[in-house]
Amino acid sequence: LLTGEQLRRLTMPVLLMAGKVDAKFAAIAREMAARIAGSELRIVAGAGHAVPIERAAECAAELEQFLRRNIDVEQRQGATA
């Protein structure tokens, strides 16, 4: 478990996702997002603790969009060349 200070030092892209029905983990995700500069927070309506199972399509779409925004295009092109 990372401390608040350790979370503040993260420099990589971070996506925090929690289900709105899981109030405990949604609150934790909000707290973490407030400490991680540039992080992205998604609270998924209608989902509880198991977002990838309960809202699989929405979870996959969020992950795909996050990865597309954060993967360096030049690096991706170099890997396929």
Side-chain angles (χ1 to χ4, degrees):
L1 197 57
L2 297 177
T3 66
E5 182 56 36
Q6 290 169 318
L7 290 172
R8 283 182 196 79
R9 285 187 261 157
L10 294 177
T11 59
M12 76 286 282
V14 174
L15 172 64
L16 299 150
M17 190 179 311
K20 187 173 183 176
V21 179
D22 189 343
K24 177 182 177 180
F25 282 91
I28 291 169
R30 285 185 186 96
E31 289 175 23
M32 291 176 70
R35 291 183 170 104
I36 303 170
S39 65
E40 298 181 35
L41 173 65
R42 299 293 180 270
I43 302 296
V44 182
H49 191 69
V51 176
I53 296 169
E54 297 169 23
R55 294 287 188 258
E58 187 174 348
C59 180
E62 289 289 350
L63 287 170
E64 181 179 9
Q65 291 169 15
F66 174 78
L67 291 171
R68 287 185 187 279
R69 284 190 302 273
N70 290 285
I71 293 175
D72 181 48
V73 175
E74 290 179 21
Q75 179 183 3
R76 221 178 339 143
Q77 289 173 344
T80 58

